[in-house]
Each structure stands twice: as C-alpha cells, then as structure tokens.
Amino acid sequence: LPTLPTLPTLPTLPTLQTLPTLPTLAISHPDHTLEAGISICNSKTKDQWIDEAKSVMTKVWQWARTQPIKVSLMVIGLGIPAFKAKFMAQHMLDAAASSYATPDEQKWTAMPCFLLASAVAGAWLYILEKFLQAFIREDFYFTMLAKRFADNYPLTCWTGPAMREAFHHVYQSGVGDDATLKTKVKYGKLGASFAVIVGHVVPFMGAQTTIMQRFFLPHPLDTIVSQPFGMTEDLVSMAMAEATSDPVLASASLTILIVSFNLARGLIYTGCPVDEDKNALKTPYVKIPSRSLSSERSFSLEEEEEDSRDFAALASAFVNVLVGLIIGFVVDGSLSIKTAFFVVAFQMMVQLLAVPVVMGQFIQNKGTQ
C-alpha cells in the first residue's frame, strides 16, 4: 500500500455544538435560508453570473478533454442507471409490495431503525480505523485511502472538489486576513460540518461522503451524529412514503421529526459557541490554502448570545404539535388514501414553511415593540 500523508494535529473535542446547527437552523428558520439565497443571487449582476457560468463550463470542458477515459466511464456508469431508471423503480416497487415488506403493525420501526443503522455506519468508520491502526500503526489510513479512491474513481471524482468548495465557501465568508485564531477555528468547524452535510444531501454523493467524512470531521462522535443529521431529507421522504399506506403514522412521523429539530434549535443549538480548549485551537480540520479571502460575506452566522434562546423555534415546536394533532385527527377519519396523502403533504408544507416563517416574524415584531 502507498504511504499516505499524515494529517496535522487534530482537535481533541467533537463539533457537536456546530454540526447540528445547520440543519436545525434550516428547518426552524427557512426564511433565513431563503434570504441568504436571494442575497447570493443579488450579489452579482446577470452578466456576472453568465460569465461565471461560462467560466465553470470552460473549466469542466478542459478537464473532460484531459480525462477522456474517466469521462467515458462516468457517462457509461451514470447513463445505464438513467436509461434503466423505470425498470429499476418498478423492481423496487415490486420488492416493497412483496411479502418481505414490513408488516403494518411494525411500520413505525422504519424510521428509528433507519436512524440506528445510519449511526452504526458512522461508528463503523472509527472502528475500522482503529482495527487497521493496530497493524499499520497509523491512524486515518482508511480515510485517506477512501478519499484517494473517491477522488480518482470516475463515478465519484466530483465529490471531493464539491465538498472542498462547500468548506471554502463557508470559511471564507467569515474569515478575513485579520481574523483571530478563534474565528478561524469557529468557521473552520462550521465549514467542515457544512461540507459533510452537503455531501450527504446531494444525490449520488452519500456513500463516498460516509467513508471519507473523517477527513473533515475526525472525531468519532461527529461521524456518528453527521449520518442521521445529513439524511434529514431521507427521513422526510420516508414519512411521505408512509402516507401512501398509513397516513396517521406518516403525520405523526413528520410531526415528531420537525418538532425534534425545532426543540433542538431552541434549547440546544441556539448559539454556536467555540470550544476554549487550547488543544482544539491548534489547527482547523482541513488544511486551508493561503489565498486572499473575500471580505464580502455570502454565508453569515447569526451573532447570538450563547445563553439566549431561539423563542421562534420553540414557538414553532408548540404550533407544529397542534398542527400535527389536527392533521392526525383529520386523516384518521373516512378520507381515501389519496386524499389523506395530499393532506399529509399539506401538513409538511405548513410545518416546514408556514409555521416557522409566521412565528419568526411574530417573535421579531414582538421584540421590536
């Protein structure tokens, strides 16, 4: 096996105060996410966006010309599943409808088992690393091998650059040339967390993100927690899939999922404090190339007091419980499965968008009076 580079001294504490901040903030305050997206769009003119798109396409074309074999394998590898997508989808539907499908009285276990399995997948990386370390006498060996494989395998080669770009986007938004070490570590943790979550959320990136996420988040607790937090959209999809057979269970699952994120945001992850441990301030999680950093912040952290509470998130949790109870009572009536499915979909839109936006504006208006 090749000799792999040794990682720098790593922080001794996990980023459990940083990692869940992003998904809990996105679910509890979708208006903030929308405002940030609009701000990014307005940061450049139409001609500037066109020029940037042309620049990206030019770089992609130049890369494709220098990697003809890799590009050919990528097109074939992605083209076959796309061409056979209908057949594969039908096969999955047939398997789900077979006798091996979960019995109705046990369907409530689907989401807890999914969360448990994803956490085990995150823990297995650390176990495998320590097993190899007993023979190789080097930590992070599997992580570096996995990253090298993902960076060179045609069907996963875009994952590494995409995650690095996500990290730099967040890091540069908060760190200037005169930034303190504490600020660098703060945005380094946030950037590493954001890169891993992006890798889990973006289609066709989840598997390779799992096996190389310790490159960004080396602590074992981070790899365990990042799995379920990075698969939030899968949990919502599972809840909506349940609505086709058991709308009451789907409604309850959605409510529990969304309210959990609201409560986590309001009670635990309101602020994003930085560890004061000196060992944790030695290095950022990944090496940062020296280049000029833009002073314009396209990704901003809320400047909050560490002991403050996000009352809008707590209020959203309370209202979402009421919405879930009402919708659960409605779909438990004599509605058809199709009608109940649309009612549950309406519940999802209300709990994810309407409630947090309205409560956020209400709390903000009350605070300014």
Side-chain angles (χ1 to χ4, degrees):
L1 295 176
T3 301
L4 299 177
T6 303
L7 291 180
T9 304
L10 296 169
T12 58
L13 297 177
T15 62
L16 296 181
Q17 291 176 310
T18 304
L19 178 63
T21 299
L22 296 171
T24 56
L25 176 62
I27 289 180
S28 298
H29 296 285
D31 51 330
H32 293 184
T33 306
L34 180 60
E35 290 175 2
I38 294 175
S39 177
I40 293 175
C41 293
N42 294 335
S43 63
K44 297 180 181 179
T45 64
K46 180 180 178 181
D47 293 336
Q48 289 176 327
W49 281 116
I50 293 176
D51 292 339
E52 185 165 333
K54 290 181 179 179
S55 175
V56 172
M57 293 303 298
T58 300
K59 292 179 181 178
V60 172
W61 175 248
Q62 291 175 350
W63 175 83
R65 292 182 63 182
T66 59
Q67 304 284 342
I69 298 178
K70 184 178 290 187
V71 172
S72 300
L73 293 175
M74 183 186 302
V75 172
I76 294 174
L78 296 178
I80 292 177
F83 181 72
K84 295 292 185 178
K86 184 176 180 180
F87 171 78
M88 295 170 64
Q90 186 60 47
H91 176 74
M92 294 174 65
L93 289 174
D94 293 341
S98 66
S99 58
Y100 297 100
T102 306
D104 291 340
E105 64 274 9
Q106 298 179 9
K107 285 186 176 181
W108 67 270
T109 62
M111 194 172 293
C113 288
F114 178 84
L115 289 173
L116 179 61
S118 62
V120 170
W124 178 249
L125 297 174
Y126 183 76
I127 297 173
L128 181 59
E129 293 275 24
K130 293 306 175 183
F131 175 77
L132 293 177
Q133 188 178 7
F135 298 95
I136 305 176
R137 305 299 179 186
E138 183 177 349
D139 200 2
F140 296 96
Y141 203 84
F142 175 79
T143 296
M144 299 307 296
L145 279 177
K147 187 178 183 304
R148 179 170 293 181
F149 172 81
D151 287 344
N152 291 278
Y153 184 57
L155 301 184
T156 60
C157 59
W158 69 83
T159 303
M163 295 179 69
R164 287 194 297 271
E165 185 63 27
F167 170 82
H168 289 304
H169 178 66
V170 175
Y171 185 81
Q172 294 177 11
S173 69
V175 177
D177 294 331
D178 57 345
T180 63
L181 180 60
K182 181 177 179 179
T183 300
K184 291 180 180 179
V185 173
K186 177 180 181 179
Y187 279 87
K189 287 183 176 183
L190 185 68
S193 302
F194 181 69
V196 171
I197 290 177
V198 166
H200 282 303
V201 171
V202 175
F204 307 111
M205 284 179 58
Q208 55 268 34
T209 298
T210 296
I211 63 175
M212 69 178 196
Q213 62 186 345
R214 288 195 76 211
F215 182 81
F216 293 88
L217 299 174
H219 199 281
L221 290 180
D222 288 329
T223 60
I224 294 173
V225 173
S226 68
Q227 291 291 117
F229 271 103
M231 297 180 178
T232 305
E233 81 286 356
D234 295 319
L235 297 174
V236 175
S237 300
M238 289 176 63
M240 291 305 302
E242 291 172 349
T244 59
S245 58
D246 192 342
V248 177
L249 176 61
S251 176
S253 299
L254 272 176
T255 300
I256 293 174
L257 178 64
I258 297 173
V259 169
S260 298
F261 276 89
N262 293 151
L263 293 177
R265 172 64 186 172
L267 298 176
I268 304 174
Y269 302 110
T270 292
C272 188
V274 180
D275 297 317
E276 299 294 340
D277 178 49
K278 293 182 179 179
N279 292 327
L281 298 177
K282 289 182 179 179
T283 59
Y285 279 94
V286 296
K287 292 183 178 180
I288 304 161
S290 57
R291 52 175 168 174
S292 60
L293 300 178
S294 171
S295 59
E296 180 179 328
R297 296 193 175 191
S298 57
F299 189 102
S300 61
L301 272 178
E302 294 179 336
E303 300 297 332
E304 301 171 309
E305 297 293 333
E306 292 183 12
D307 58 348
S308 63
R309 295 298 179 193
D310 191 335
F311 291 104
L314 295 176
S316 296
F318 176 75
V319 176
N320 279 332
V321 170
L322 297 180
V323 172
L325 291 175
I326 294 173
I327 297 297
F329 177 79
V330 172
V331 298
D332 195 28
S334 58
L335 297 179
S336 64
I337 289 295
K338 184 176 181 180
T339 304
F341 174 83
F342 285 109
V343 172
V344 174
F346 175 75
Q347 170 193 342
M348 180 183 67
M349 300 302 294
V350 170
Q351 291 179 323
L352 282 177
L353 298 176
V355 170
V357 171
V358 171
M359 297 309 301
Q361 293 298 319
F362 177 76
I363 297 295
Q364 182 178 5
N365 294 336
K366 293 287 289 185
T368 57
Q369 290 179 356

